[in-house]
Amino acid sequence: MQTGRQIPNVDLVITAHPYEGWLREKVIAYKSGEYHLARGLAEIIIGKCLTEIDQSHLVPIPSSQEKIKIRQADTILNITKQIQLLDRKFVVMPNLKLIKRVADQVGLSHKDRIDNLEGAFGALRKISGDVILIDDVITTGSTMGSAAKTLKLVGANSVTAVALCSAEKMH
């Protein structure tokens, strides 16, 4: 569903569901180690968010090295790869990396999230055309906005933000 939400540097925001109920539980379970859920979560993104999207380049929001070490997985990259396995028109382009240490966003205010992510992303290579940024949850939009800014600086024409869930109250 298109949210109608405005995020700086993002041209379109599409999420599958509010961050509540059964899907919230599945996202939390997935991030807590139930990695077999990746395929089902990818199916939700395809069915609810990508059915009318022609762009084929998927850029996952990168996890921090600390989160990867704790979880033993890059959870968003794994979901994005599952999307590609389920629908070959999509190509995974892990083009973003964190170039500065960022605090965990949980519990931060909207302003603190923006400040936390300012200059946080770098690009691995130039990019062209339209891209789809993939994440699990959009809360304030600061992660998507910062990542989209980086992608546009290295050549993306448009950026569509796609997530499983969005917070009910978006700032």
Side-chain angles (χ1 to χ4, degrees):
M1 80 179 146
Q2 294 184 23
T3 66
R5 175 160 189 211
Q6 300 293 313
I7 297 175
N9 303 299
V10 173
D11 299 284
L12 179 64
V13 179
I14 305 172
T15 61
H17 197 271
Y19 190 52
E20 61 189 24
W22 67 271
L23 189 52
R24 179 180 184 273
E25 291 172 14
K26 295 297 180 191
V27 169
I28 291 169
Y30 173 66
K31 290 166 76 169
S32 299
E34 293 187 39
Y35 301 130
H36 65 279
L37 296 172
R39 182 181 176 96
L41 296 174
E43 289 172 350
I44 292 168
I45 289 174
I46 291 170
K48 296 283 189 173
C49 302
L50 299 176
T51 56
E52 307 209 4
I53 299 286
D54 292 330
Q55 300 123 308
S56 61
H57 296 105
L58 305 177
V59 178
I61 294 291
S63 298
S64 69
Q65 290 303 311
E66 293 84 7
K67 289 287 185 184
I68 292 171
K69 188 174 183 178
I70 291 167
R71 295 179 177 148
Q72 297 295 300
D74 186 331
T75 55
I76 305 307
L77 178 61
N78 290 347
I79 290 173
T80 307
K81 286 180 177 179
Q82 287 295 315
I83 293 169
Q84 179 178 308
L85 288 172
L86 291 164
D87 189 336
R88 293 293 184 177
K89 80 175 177 186
F90 296 111
V91 177
V92 178
M93 296 177 56
N95 198 42
L96 293 171
K97 64 178 178 177
L98 287 168
I99 58 173
K100 78 169 197 177
R101 187 179 194 102
V102 295
D104 193 334
Q105 296 278 85
V106 175
L108 295 181
S109 70
H110 180 64
K111 182 187 178 318
D112 289 342
R113 286 173 181 242
I114 291 171
D115 292 345
N116 185 42
L117 289 168
E118 181 63 36
F121 294 105
L124 299 173
R125 66 194 70 78
K126 290 193 177 285
I127 198 166
S128 63
D130 302 324
V131 299
I132 302 167
L133 265 175
I134 303 289
D135 205 355
D136 54 358
V137 180
I138 298 175
T139 305
T140 64
S142 56
T143 301
M144 290 290 205
S146 181
K149 179 179 180 180
T150 299
L151 291 172
K152 286 188 171 182
L153 286 172
V154 297
N157 292 335
S158 73
V159 176
T160 298
V162 170
L164 282 160
C165 304
S166 68
E168 179 70 29
K169 182 178 178 182
M170 295 189 242
H171 308 279

